[in-house]
Every structure is written in C-alpha cells, then in structure tokens.
Amino acid sequence: MMAKEIPYKIYLDESEMPTAWYNLRADMKNKPAPLLNPATGQPCTAADLAPVFCEELVKQELDDSTPYFEIPQEIRDFYKMYRPSPLVRAYCLEKKLGTPAKIYYKFEGNNTSGSHKLNSAIAQAYYAKQQGLKGVTTETGAGQWGTALSMACSYFDLDCKVFMVKVSYEQKPFRREVMRTYGASVTPSPSMETAVGRKILEEHPGTTGSLGCAISEAVEKATTSEGYRYVLGSVLNQVLLHQSVIGLETKAALDKYGIKADIIIGCAGGGSNLGGLIAPFMGEKLRGEADYRIIAVEPASCPSLTRGKYAYDFCDTGKVCPLAKMYTLGCDFIPAPNHAGGLRYHGMSSTLSQLYADGLMEATSVTQTKVFEAAEYFARVEGILPAPESSHAIRVAIDEALKCKETGEEKTIVFGLTGTGYFDMVAYEKYNDGQMSDYIPTDEELAESFKKLPQGF
C-alpha cells in the first residue's frame, strides 16, 4: 500500500529548497486594504514607512502584485542550518486515535529559537545590515520571535532591543535568558523606558501587558534612536512573505509522494505561521487549480477572527503605528494572561482578514485547558513537547481526525507544528496541577472595546 511507503519524516534535499518567497497577495482578486497614515487618513507611502522599517522591507510590504521575491543567497545559506524542515506523518497519533484520517505536521521547532520565527528574523536582520543600520527593536510575546531575532542579529553583528510582554517575561525567564545569551537587551513591557510605556502604566496600573503595548514601545525606541529600525514578527505582509517557505516546502514534500491535502490547519495570533503554511495552497485555491479546507485556530481568550470586528484599527495600543483593516478586538483590548503568549494579539493580518472575509478560510477558537489536554496527548504519543501556540492547531487536528473516525472518511489533514514548548513548563505545570483556568471575554467587554475603534476610516 502507498501509505506504507510514506516515511515518518519527509525531508527535501537542500537543492529542493525554495529559492523565492511567494507573495500570496499577487493572486488575490480582492487585495488587502492598504495601511493608512493616521495623520492623513491616506494609504501609507514608502516615505511614510521609511522612518520605521528597513527600505527593502517597505518595498515588500507595499507590493501586492509581484508573485515571487528571490531569496538572497546569504539568507538561503543561513536557512540551510535548519531547513528544509521535516514534514512528519503522524502514524503514532493516527493509530492511537483509531482514525482513518492521514495526519501530517510541518515541524518548525528544529532550531535553537524553537519556532518558525527564524524564517523572517534572518531576512529582516539581513536587510537591516544591508542598509548599514546599527540595530533593530522589536516586541515579543512568548519569546519565540525575540529569541529568533536575537539569533539573527548576533549572526549579522547588529544590536537588538526587545520589549517582552510583562506576563511572558515573568512566566518564561529561560526564554528571556536565551535572548540575552545571544546579546539582546530584554525589557518587560509596558515599561518606564518609553513615553508610551509610562502612559500605558498610568492608565492601566499593574497591567500584565500585551503585544500591542510592546509594539508601541519598540516603535518609539526605534524612531528615537539614530541608526535603528523597528522589525515585527507577525501581522505584516512582509512577514507572511518570508514565512511562505513553510508552505512551499510543505507542498513540495506532499507533491513528492503524490499526496493531496484536504484540510490545512494552523494556529492564528497575528498570522505569520498560518499565512506562511497556507500560502501556496491558498494560491491554488485562488487560481481555481485546487480546493482545500483551511482552518485558523485562535485562543478563546483572544478571538479576533471569530468575535472581532472587521475594521480599521491601530496595530498597537499606544496608537503610534499605521492603521490596518483587520479583524480586531480593539487596540486597547488587553487579553487575559493565558499561556499562549504568541497568540495574545488584538488583531489579525490584513491579508488573512481579507481571505476570511471573502469566505476562503474558516476560523475557530479553543479554550486553553482543551489546548493543553491536546498538547499532553500529542507529547505522549508523538514524542514532541509542543509550544502552547502550536497546540491550538493540534487540538483542532485531533478533533477533525476524530470526526473522520465517526464518518469513516480517509481525509488528509496537514497542520503546522510551529515550535517546541521546552520553555513553557510553567504553563504545563499549571495544567498538571489543575490550576489552569479558561477565561473568555464577555460580549459586554468586547462591545466596550469596539466603542473605541477609530471612526471615519
């Protein structure tokens, strides 16, 4: 049988690695709405973004018609340290579940940063170095992005200033120390280091912080420090572009064995890994070449796609960034301090938001106790301790496989295992000790947040 011929791990040769990133927006009939300059209400120009982002990244951000961007050779050489990453057939999980479904996961945790974030971090650090900058600033939630960027900056001898969401800074001290080991400075956010941080602390004393807060601080630090630019680990078009290596490798590995996916599942916070994983598959769907069921999975405590408003909103809590049209809970929304720090963002990528609004993908939300139940089940069966973020995709992949068990359908399920959970043991401890709770914002709380959305855009 063909199934017996498929190995547990499908590895591509280095010669089969992507040589260009795929720009999904080029195949979208309905393009994502442009970023707006909050001062003018007009679409952001390259000149508007140049003080904040690297020049080459601005070009990538604003280009929605070029289908492919060549990956510079120096970045491709760096990728070879941990790419191609394996596509794993979850034979053990299938057997344990007793499902006729075929389950595959793309494992992005096989590098020191522990996640997919390095795919974009090395690209953004490369362009900063090419521009002759001294360093970059950024935010991080759970710490995967900050870790990845600190590694990339170390490689290119750039300074790296990280503002880490305060609750994660306290929950994940070892992730913080990895960043410092690679030479980054790490500040809990909101902090007293910036004007916007001081303002947020004054308005929300004792706050545990959010990605929106940390973004505001990082942008202020970049724009007030000579020779620095701000880099972002998710949400932006440029980041989804770099992360397309995930989906391109996944599709190449499936094609190698004549496998056609039916369902593609990814966790969703700002959208970087999900956008990267689905890119070539969604491209086929947009061009009418194939059809797939694509599911975004988000935490019930921060449900931007499933309960948010599709509207223009600030990308950050301090309202210093451009406005983006996206599914949002409101830039002032500070999520409950759940343990999937990388998914605690109030909005969703404009590209993914447009695809969702057009009915080209689905979204669902899950509670964190259900997520950790799936995480531990997966760890015991497949032998990998998954990150809390990744475990959202695991939860829904298991649920879909169990549906196949009921119906007898032999569907092929592909999900993104974005990273490992070895620095998330406080969260696993809370779950194992029965101290983990599920917080879901009420309709009233969200309505209060929606009232503050920018008007007139």
mmCIF file of all heavy atoms in Angstrom, residues 3 63 79 127 157 166 177 187 202 204 241 259 298 331 334 355 359 361 364 366 376 394 399 405 419 421:
data_model
loop_
_atom_site.group_PDB
_atom_site.id
_atom_site.type_symbol
_atom_site.label_atom_id
_atom_site.label_comp_id
_atom_site.label_asym_id
_atom_site.label_seq_id
_atom_site.Cartn_x
_atom_site.Cartn_y
_atom_site.Cartn_z
ATOM 1 N N ALA A 3 0.456 4.001 1.502
ATOM 2 C CA ALA A 3 0.645 4.599 2.831
ATOM 3 C C ALA A 3 1.882 4.031 3.520
ATOM 4 O O ALA A 3 2.558 4.727 4.250
ATOM 5 C CB ALA A 3 -0.591 4.373 3.689
ATOM 6 N N ASP A 63 4.078 45.899 -1.935
ATOM 7 C CA ASP A 63 3.940 45.249 -3.241
ATOM 8 C C ASP A 63 2.909 44.122 -3.183
ATOM 9 O O ASP A 63 3.144 43.096 -2.551
ATOM 10 C CB ASP A 63 5.297 44.692 -3.681
ATOM 11 C CG ASP A 63 5.311 44.209 -5.120
ATOM 12 O OD1 ASP A 63 4.270 43.689 -5.584
ATOM 13 O OD2 ASP A 63 6.353 44.343 -5.792
ATOM 14 N N TYR A 79 19.433 29.586 6.002
ATOM 15 C CA TYR A 79 18.326 28.638 6.089
ATOM 16 C C TYR A 79 18.823 27.189 6.150
ATOM 17 O O TYR A 79 18.227 26.342 6.812
ATOM 18 C CB TYR A 79 17.399 28.784 4.880
ATOM 19 C CG TYR A 79 16.371 29.890 4.947
ATOM 20 C CD1 TYR A 79 15.665 30.270 3.808
ATOM 21 C CD2 TYR A 79 16.082 30.548 6.145
ATOM 22 C CE1 TYR A 79 14.702 31.275 3.842
ATOM 23 C CE2 TYR A 79 15.121 31.554 6.193
ATOM 24 C CZ TYR A 79 14.432 31.918 5.041
ATOM 25 O OH TYR A 79 13.483 32.902 5.069
ATOM 26 N N TYR A 127 18.366 42.561 5.814
ATOM 27 C CA TYR A 127 18.077 43.841 5.154
ATOM 28 C C TYR A 127 18.511 45.030 6.017
ATOM 29 O O TYR A 127 18.919 46.061 5.493
ATOM 30 C CB TYR A 127 16.591 43.932 4.789
ATOM 31 C CG TYR A 127 16.202 42.969 3.682
ATOM 32 C CD1 TYR A 127 15.238 41.990 3.887
ATOM 33 C CD2 TYR A 127 16.820 43.043 2.432
ATOM 34 C CE1 TYR A 127 14.891 41.101 2.890
ATOM 35 C CE2 TYR A 127 16.473 42.154 1.415
ATOM 36 C CZ TYR A 127 15.509 41.191 1.642
ATOM 37 O OH TYR A 127 15.177 40.304 0.651
ATOM 38 N N ASP A 157 25.853 40.749 13.565
ATOM 39 C CA ASP A 157 26.502 41.730 14.434
ATOM 40 C C ASP A 157 25.708 43.029 14.521
ATOM 41 O O ASP A 157 26.238 44.129 14.382
ATOM 42 C CB ASP A 157 27.933 42.011 13.943
ATOM 43 C CG ASP A 157 28.790 42.676 15.020
ATOM 44 O OD1 ASP A 157 28.482 42.480 16.217
ATOM 45 O OD2 ASP A 157 29.740 43.400 14.660
ATOM 46 N N LYS A 166 5.008 41.716 29.596
ATOM 47 C CA LYS A 166 5.386 41.521 31.004
ATOM 48 C C LYS A 166 4.993 40.149 31.549
ATOM 49 O O LYS A 166 5.780 39.495 32.249
ATOM 50 C CB LYS A 166 4.767 42.622 31.870
ATOM 51 C CG LYS A 166 5.247 42.581 33.321
ATOM 52 C CD LYS A 166 4.680 43.746 34.129
ATOM 53 C CE LYS A 166 5.265 45.076 33.690
ATOM 54 N NZ LYS A 166 4.767 46.207 34.501
ATOM 55 N N GLU A 177 16.459 34.529 28.955
ATOM 56 C CA GLU A 177 17.904 34.345 29.076
ATOM 57 C C GLU A 177 18.548 33.865 27.776
ATOM 58 O O GLU A 177 19.715 34.149 27.518
ATOM 59 C CB GLU A 177 18.218 33.382 30.221
ATOM 60 C CG GLU A 177 17.932 33.964 31.600
ATOM 61 C CD GLU A 177 18.513 35.366 31.774
ATOM 62 O OE1 GLU A 177 19.707 35.577 31.498
ATOM 63 O OE2 GLU A 177 17.745 36.264 32.179
ATOM 64 N N THR A 187 13.457 43.979 27.881
ATOM 65 C CA THR A 187 12.745 44.851 28.820
ATOM 66 C C THR A 187 11.303 44.401 28.952
ATOM 67 O O THR A 187 10.617 44.207 27.935
ATOM 68 C CB THR A 187 12.766 46.311 28.307
ATOM 69 O OG1 THR A 187 14.112 46.718 28.096
ATOM 70 C CG2 THR A 187 12.088 47.243 29.293
ATOM 71 N N GLU A 202 0.292 54.358 33.482
ATOM 72 C CA GLU A 202 -0.531 55.334 34.220
ATOM 73 C C GLU A 202 -2.019 55.022 34.051
ATOM 74 O O GLU A 202 -2.805 55.105 34.990
ATOM 75 C CB GLU A 202 -0.234 56.742 33.694
ATOM 76 C CG GLU A 202 -0.940 57.829 34.472
ATOM 77 C CD GLU A 202 -0.624 59.226 33.943
ATOM 78 O OE1 GLU A 202 0.390 59.380 33.236
ATOM 79 O OE2 GLU A 202 -1.406 60.148 34.239
ATOM 80 N N HIS A 204 -3.260 52.003 33.007
ATOM 81 C CA HIS A 204 -3.569 50.627 33.408
ATOM 82 C C HIS A 204 -2.540 50.152 34.430
ATOM 83 O O HIS A 204 -1.697 49.297 34.129
ATOM 84 C CB HIS A 204 -3.552 49.699 32.193
ATOM 85 C CG HIS A 204 -4.469 50.099 31.083
ATOM 86 N ND1 HIS A 204 -5.809 49.813 31.096
ATOM 87 C CD2 HIS A 204 -4.226 50.769 29.918
ATOM 88 C CE1 HIS A 204 -6.367 50.280 29.989
ATOM 89 N NE2 HIS A 204 -5.425 50.862 29.263
ATOM 90 N N LEU A 241 5.237 36.948 3.746
ATOM 91 C CA LEU A 241 6.040 36.642 2.555
ATOM 92 C C LEU A 241 7.208 35.735 2.925
ATOM 93 O O LEU A 241 7.413 34.673 2.317
ATOM 94 C CB LEU A 241 6.556 37.940 1.929
ATOM 95 C CG LEU A 241 7.504 37.792 0.741
ATOM 96 C CD1 LEU A 241 6.752 37.320 -0.491
ATOM 97 C CD2 LEU A 241 8.217 39.116 0.450
ATOM 98 N N ILE A 259 0.687 13.246 -2.584
ATOM 99 C CA ILE A 259 -0.315 13.423 -1.524
ATOM 100 C C ILE A 259 -1.079 14.728 -1.743
ATOM 101 O O ILE A 259 -0.480 15.777 -1.986
ATOM 102 C CB ILE A 259 0.350 13.454 -0.136
ATOM 103 C CG1 ILE A 259 1.175 12.187 0.098
ATOM 104 C CG2 ILE A 259 -0.698 13.629 0.965
ATOM 105 C CD1 ILE A 259 2.196 12.321 1.210
ATOM 106 N N GLU A 298 -7.621 29.974 16.970
ATOM 107 C CA GLU A 298 -7.175 31.036 17.875
ATOM 108 C C GLU A 298 -7.641 30.749 19.294
ATOM 109 O O GLU A 298 -8.540 29.937 19.512
ATOM 110 C CB GLU A 298 -7.696 32.394 17.395
ATOM 111 C CG GLU A 298 -9.206 32.501 17.287
ATOM 112 C CD GLU A 298 -9.669 33.811 16.654
ATOM 113 O OE1 GLU A 298 -8.821 34.574 16.157
ATOM 114 O OE2 GLU A 298 -10.880 34.073 16.660
ATOM 115 N N CYS A 331 -7.558 48.007 19.751
ATOM 116 C CA CYS A 331 -6.144 48.098 20.152
ATOM 117 C C CYS A 331 -5.963 48.297 21.652
ATOM 118 O O CYS A 331 -4.873 48.087 22.188
ATOM 119 C CB CYS A 331 -5.437 49.206 19.369
ATOM 120 S SG CYS A 331 -5.986 50.878 19.762
ATOM 121 N N ILE A 334 -6.739 44.251 26.228
ATOM 122 C CA ILE A 334 -5.616 43.525 26.829
ATOM 123 C C ILE A 334 -6.124 42.149 27.235
ATOM 124 O O ILE A 334 -6.948 42.027 28.142
ATOM 125 C CB ILE A 334 -5.029 44.287 28.041
ATOM 126 C CG1 ILE A 334 -4.443 45.629 27.569
ATOM 127 C CG2 ILE A 334 -3.972 43.439 28.733
ATOM 128 C CD1 ILE A 334 -3.813 46.456 28.659
ATOM 129 N N LEU A 355 -8.962 37.339 3.289
ATOM 130 C CA LEU A 355 -9.301 35.976 2.859
ATOM 131 C C LEU A 355 -10.455 35.408 3.681
ATOM 132 O O LEU A 355 -11.351 34.744 3.147
ATOM 133 C CB LEU A 355 -8.076 35.063 2.996
ATOM 134 C CG LEU A 355 -6.902 35.368 2.049
ATOM 135 C CD1 LEU A 355 -5.663 34.592 2.473
ATOM 136 C CD2 LEU A 355 -7.268 35.045 0.605
ATOM 137 N N GLY A 359 -14.566 34.471 2.653
ATOM 138 C CA GLY A 359 -15.048 33.102 2.812
ATOM 139 C C GLY A 359 -14.111 32.029 2.294
ATOM 140 O O GLY A 359 -14.521 30.888 2.046
ATOM 141 N N MET A 361 -11.442 30.906 3.943
ATOM 142 C CA MET A 361 -10.923 30.102 5.050
ATOM 143 C C MET A 361 -11.872 30.189 6.231
ATOM 144 O O MET A 361 -12.710 31.105 6.294
ATOM 145 C CB MET A 361 -9.513 30.553 5.456
ATOM 146 C CG MET A 361 -9.378 32.025 5.758
ATOM 147 S SD MET A 361 -7.679 32.523 6.115
ATOM 148 C CE MET A 361 -7.633 32.330 7.878
ATOM 149 N N THR A 364 -11.836 29.092 14.070
ATOM 150 C CA THR A 364 -12.470 28.570 15.273
ATOM 151 C C THR A 364 -11.615 28.967 16.466
ATOM 152 O O THR A 364 -10.426 29.270 16.314
ATOM 153 C CB THR A 364 -12.621 27.033 15.194
ATOM 154 O OG1 THR A 364 -13.401 26.572 16.307
ATOM 155 C CG2 THR A 364 -11.270 26.337 15.220
ATOM 156 N N VAL A 366 -10.512 28.011 20.661
ATOM 157 C CA VAL A 366 -10.478 26.912 21.636
ATOM 158 C C VAL A 366 -9.982 27.434 22.981
ATOM 159 O O VAL A 366 -9.173 28.368 23.039
ATOM 160 C CB VAL A 366 -9.575 25.755 21.147
ATOM 161 C CG1 VAL A 366 -10.252 24.976 20.043
ATOM 162 C CG2 VAL A 366 -8.231 26.264 20.662
ATOM 163 N N GLU A 376 -0.571 17.606 25.768
ATOM 164 C CA GLU A 376 -0.015 16.484 26.510
ATOM 165 C C GLU A 376 -0.284 15.150 25.811
ATOM 166 O O GLU A 376 0.572 14.259 25.782
ATOM 167 C CB GLU A 376 -0.560 16.462 27.943
ATOM 168 C CG GLU A 376 -0.003 17.581 28.794
ATOM 169 C CD GLU A 376 0.000 17.266 30.289
ATOM 170 O OE1 GLU A 376 -0.735 16.341 30.708
ATOM 171 O OE2 GLU A 376 0.729 17.944 31.028
ATOM 172 N N ILE A 394 -2.957 21.550 16.998
ATOM 173 C CA ILE A 394 -3.038 20.134 17.358
ATOM 174 C C ILE A 394 -4.449 19.787 17.826
ATOM 175 O O ILE A 394 -5.023 18.758 17.442
ATOM 176 C CB ILE A 394 -2.014 19.793 18.462
ATOM 177 C CG1 ILE A 394 -0.583 19.929 17.922
ATOM 178 C CG2 ILE A 394 -2.249 18.378 18.996
ATOM 179 C CD1 ILE A 394 0.492 19.796 19.002
ATOM 180 N N ASP A 399 -9.438 16.895 16.672
ATOM 181 C CA ASP A 399 -10.903 16.930 16.568
ATOM 182 C C ASP A 399 -11.368 16.527 15.165
ATOM 183 O O ASP A 399 -12.350 15.780 15.010
ATOM 184 C CB ASP A 399 -11.425 18.330 16.903
ATOM 185 C CG ASP A 399 -11.255 18.684 18.377
ATOM 186 O OD1 ASP A 399 -11.003 17.766 19.180
ATOM 187 O OD2 ASP A 399 -11.352 19.882 18.708
ATOM 188 N N LYS A 405 -13.103 9.486 12.131
ATOM 189 C CA LYS A 405 -13.327 8.182 12.766
ATOM 190 C C LYS A 405 -14.822 7.860 12.800
ATOM 191 O O LYS A 405 -15.235 6.709 12.588
ATOM 192 C CB LYS A 405 -12.757 8.210 14.189
ATOM 193 C CG LYS A 405 -12.849 6.888 14.935
ATOM 194 C CD LYS A 405 -12.207 6.998 16.306
ATOM 195 C CE LYS A 405 -12.258 5.686 17.075
ATOM 196 N NZ LYS A 405 -11.579 5.801 18.398
ATOM 197 N N GLY A 419 6.387 25.144 16.809
ATOM 198 C CA GLY A 419 7.543 25.209 17.694
ATOM 199 C C GLY A 419 7.427 24.284 18.891
ATOM 200 O O GLY A 419 6.401 23.632 19.113
ATOM 201 N N GLY A 421 7.824 23.402 23.173
ATOM 202 C CA GLY A 421 7.352 24.023 24.412
ATOM 203 C C GLY A 421 8.289 23.860 25.589
ATOM 204 O O GLY A 421 7.847 23.915 26.743
#
